Amino acid sequence: MAISVFDLFKVGIGPSSSHTVGPMIAARRFLQELPCPLNQINRVTVDLFGSLAMTGEGHGTDTAVLLGLAGKAPATVAVDEIEPLLSAIRSNQQLSLLGEQVVAFEQDRDLLFNKGASLPQHPNGMTCRAFDAAGTALFSKSYFSIGGGFVLAEDEFANAENSGFDAPYDFQSAKELLAMGKRDGLRIEQMAMANELSQKSEQEVIDGVYEIWKVMDACIQRGCSTRGTLPGSLGVKRRAAELNDDLQDRLENGVPDALAVMDWVSLFALAVNEENAAGGKVVTAPTNGAAGVIPAVLAYFVKFVYTPDMGGLKKLVVQFLLTSAAIGMLFKRNASISAAEVGCQGEIGVACSMAAAGLTSVMGGTNEQVENAAEIGMEHNLGLTCDPIGGLVQIPCIERNTMGAIKAINASRLALRGDGVHHVSLDSVIETMFQTGKDMQAKYKETAEGGLAINAVNVVEC
């Protein structure tokens, strides 16, 4: 079963796809799946477990749950309406379920962070319950935010591998993907497009994928012009706007700098992830925590590499994202894109691999060179931990996106200078990443109990 590019790249809000987007989807879905009329519900409770409990407050999980219960969806919620809605819920201690049924809701009583407790299926678990006026439980169900905004209910785990849609190129591995391309004389983006055509028209796919880039680019532009301090206890200053001013000034005054393009790439990544940290609109790519890598590398191509003789820009942007998505699907299928499950190698590492593949494709690389670039991108992110200070998607997350973007460009350039033949396959690296994640101690997997997070006092004081 294939995974759609539109499932891998989803429009949502920050700061986290697994801790914000997923729980919002799950809370809303719980009410939509009620086996009884909504007007019979008098009270709703939500229990958070595992990483959702440990870092949920810093990741906006409480906000996400309230929004989901109120009927809001990540892709369509208006960012400027969020704070007034939350303020009304908390001050009135009332919540309108799906915007229809008003119930009493006391956050400290009805939304519990069960720190230190986990559900067996996945580290990002939550259990929702609905009660009638007599206090009788009418419905209870657990959901799991498995990374990138993907959500599974407790009864869906056994069949998770069969989720998706039937497609002509249902590749299970990079080896299969390369073999299919060789057999049919197709490039990776062409096979990805053929899969999407089983559900949509070609124009719908082209326009939809290009719209993803437009959302990414708009996020870069907002980040480059917005100043101030990010929300949360760390008081992190936004840097993208100031860096943008400096780079524009140096460009206009012809200040020579052989490495200036690196600063531009870092700027694009900073801009996106500062927006994400502020709760703005971003695209999961493949997650929110790693949302800046792919847009930064694609922006680098658009602004510094592309020339009209390469073909239509829209076509190349779509090619980049379809190729990236094909690689991302391999990680989603055979490993994980959840930092709570495998550490940040599953977020920044996967994003780096996807971006390297996309860039290699639009630079004219063969399928084998694309696979090589993706392999290099992940190979040098193996073991990357997730240890956010204060449970916030800020330090080291924002800067880490700049590192991932630069590394992706380097991986692409190395692959393009080769012939696609290499010793370690992408499949081997994906398997190694998954095994490394399993071996990684829980304190390094989005619990804020180890690494930089546990040394936050020392880091802040330096």
Side-chain angles (χ1 to χ4, degrees):
M1 304 292 282
I3 302 170
S4 173
V5 61
F6 300 107
D7 288 326
L8 206 59
F9 293 121
K10 294 190 283 288
V11 177
I13 60 169
S16 172
S17 50
S18 59
H19 288 57
T20 314
V21 175
M24 189 188 307
I25 292 171
R28 183 170 182 259
R29 181 178 161 185
F30 170 71
L31 294 178
Q32 293 173 329
E33 294 177 349
L34 286 173
C36 59
L38 193 61
N39 60 15
Q40 290 184 15
I41 305 303
N42 182 260
R43 182 187 173 201
V44 169
T45 66
V46 177
D47 282 84
L48 303 173
F49 298 94
S51 180
L52 293 185
M54 298 301 293
T55 62
E57 291 169 290
H59 283 54
T61 305
D62 49 349
T63 291
V65 169
L66 296 184
L67 291 173
L69 293 175
K72 303 300 181 182
T76 56
V77 62
V79 175
D80 57 358
E81 294 178 359
I82 292 176
E83 281 308 317
L85 175 59
L86 295 175
S87 179
I89 292 171
R90 288 162 176 159
S91 61
N92 298 330
Q93 295 191 333
Q94 288 185 329
L95 198 158
S96 180
L97 303 178
L98 298 182
E100 300 174 19
Q101 170 75 357
V102 177
V103 299
F105 191 89
E106 298 177 29
Q107 185 164 329
D108 292 340
R109 179 195 68 178
D110 299 326
L111 177 55
L112 301 179
F113 291 81
N114 296 282
K115 296 183 178 181
S118 295
L119 299 178
Q121 294 92 331
H122 192 277
N124 290 333
M126 55 189 283
T127 299
C128 304
R129 296 182 178 87
F131 303 85
D132 64 15
T136 303
L138 300 177
F139 188 48
S140 175
K141 198 166 188 177
S142 293
Y143 297 87
F144 301 87
S145 180
I146 62 173
F150 288 89
V151 173
L152 290 176
E154 55 188 312
D155 56 351
E156 294 171 340
F157 258 85
N159 223 17
E161 292 184 1
N162 297 320
S163 62
F165 63 96
D166 292 325
Y169 294 97
D170 185 15
F171 50 89
Q172 303 292 315
S173 65
K175 182 179 180 180
E176 284 188 9
L177 179 60
L178 292 177
M180 290 175 179
K182 188 173 184 179
R183 181 194 67 197
D184 295 348
L186 295 176
R187 293 176 56 80
I188 290 174
E189 77 276 2
Q190 292 174 318
M191 290 183 281
M193 173 62 83
N195 285 350
E196 296 298 329
L197 293 180
S198 65
Q199 299 194 112
K200 300 176 183 290
S201 71
E202 183 174 15
Q203 197 59 52
E204 286 176 323
V205 176
I206 292 172
D207 291 345
V209 173
Y210 192 69
E211 182 62 30
I212 290 168
W213 162 239
K214 287 168 63 178
V215 175
M216 290 177 171
D217 187 51
C219 188
I220 291 174
Q221 302 309 316
R222 288 195 307 274
C224 284
S225 60
T226 306
R227 303 173 191 275
T229 302
L230 295 173
S233 59
L234 298 180
V236 174
K237 178 184 176 183
R238 296 181 71 138
R239 291 177 287 172
E242 187 174 324
L243 177 57
N244 181 56
D245 290 344
D246 179 63
L247 290 176
Q248 294 284 2
D249 184 65
R250 292 167 70 85
L251 185 66
E252 291 169 5
N253 289 288
V255 178
D257 185 349
L259 297 179
V261 69
M262 291 180 62
D263 292 335
W264 282 100
V265 173
S266 293
L267 166 64
F268 303 146
L270 283 174
V272 171
N273 281 84
E274 286 179 353
E275 278 295 294
N276 178 63
K281 283 276 184 182
V282 299
V283 175
T284 61
T287 68
N288 281 33
V293 176
I294 291 173
V297 176
L298 184 46
Y300 155 78
F301 172 76
V302 170
K303 299 179 187 299
F304 294 102
V305 179
Y306 171 75
T307 57
D309 62 350
M310 299 175 74
L313 180 59
K314 184 174 183 178
K315 176 178 179 293
L316 289 169
V317 167
V318 172
Q319 177 178 333
F320 184 111
L321 291 174
L322 284 175
T323 304
S324 296
I327 298 303
M329 292 169 198
L330 292 174
F331 284 97
K332 178 72 175 64
R333 184 188 295 275
N334 298 307
S336 175
I337 57 173
S338 167
E341 192 171 13
V342 296
C344 198
Q345 57 175 355
E347 298 203 20
I348 291 293
V350 174
C352 177
S353 182
M354 292 170 65
L359 180 59
T360 303
S361 177
V362 295
M363 294 300 293
T366 64
N367 287 352
E368 290 73 20
Q369 288 173 316
V370 168
E371 186 262 357
N372 189 13
E375 179 271 324
I376 295 170
M378 173 51 75
E379 184 178 349
H380 302 289
N381 279 291
L382 288 174
L384 193 61
T385 60
C386 180
D387 48 0
I389 296 177
L392 298 166
V393 193
Q394 297 179 16
I395 301 174
C397 318
I398 296 173
E399 285 182 356
R400 190 167 281 177
N401 276 262
T402 71
M403 301 297 126
I406 295 294
K407 195 177 291 186
I409 295 171
N410 192 29
S412 175
R413 292 177 68 85
L414 285 172
L416 286 167
R417 288 186 174 275
D419 58 6
V421 178
H422 52 107
H423 290 285
V424 181
S425 70
L426 176 58
D427 291 327
S428 294
V429 168
I430 292 174
E431 174 61 23
T432 301
M433 184 271 271
F434 194 42
Q435 290 299 327
T436 302
K438 287 183 178 179
D439 293 340
M440 193 181 293
Q441 294 183 45
K443 66 182 182 179
Y444 297 118
K445 293 190 285 189
E446 211 164 5
T447 60
E449 292 185 307
L452 289 177
I454 203 65
N455 293 302
V457 174
N458 295 333
V459 172
V460 173
E461 287 180 347
C462 289

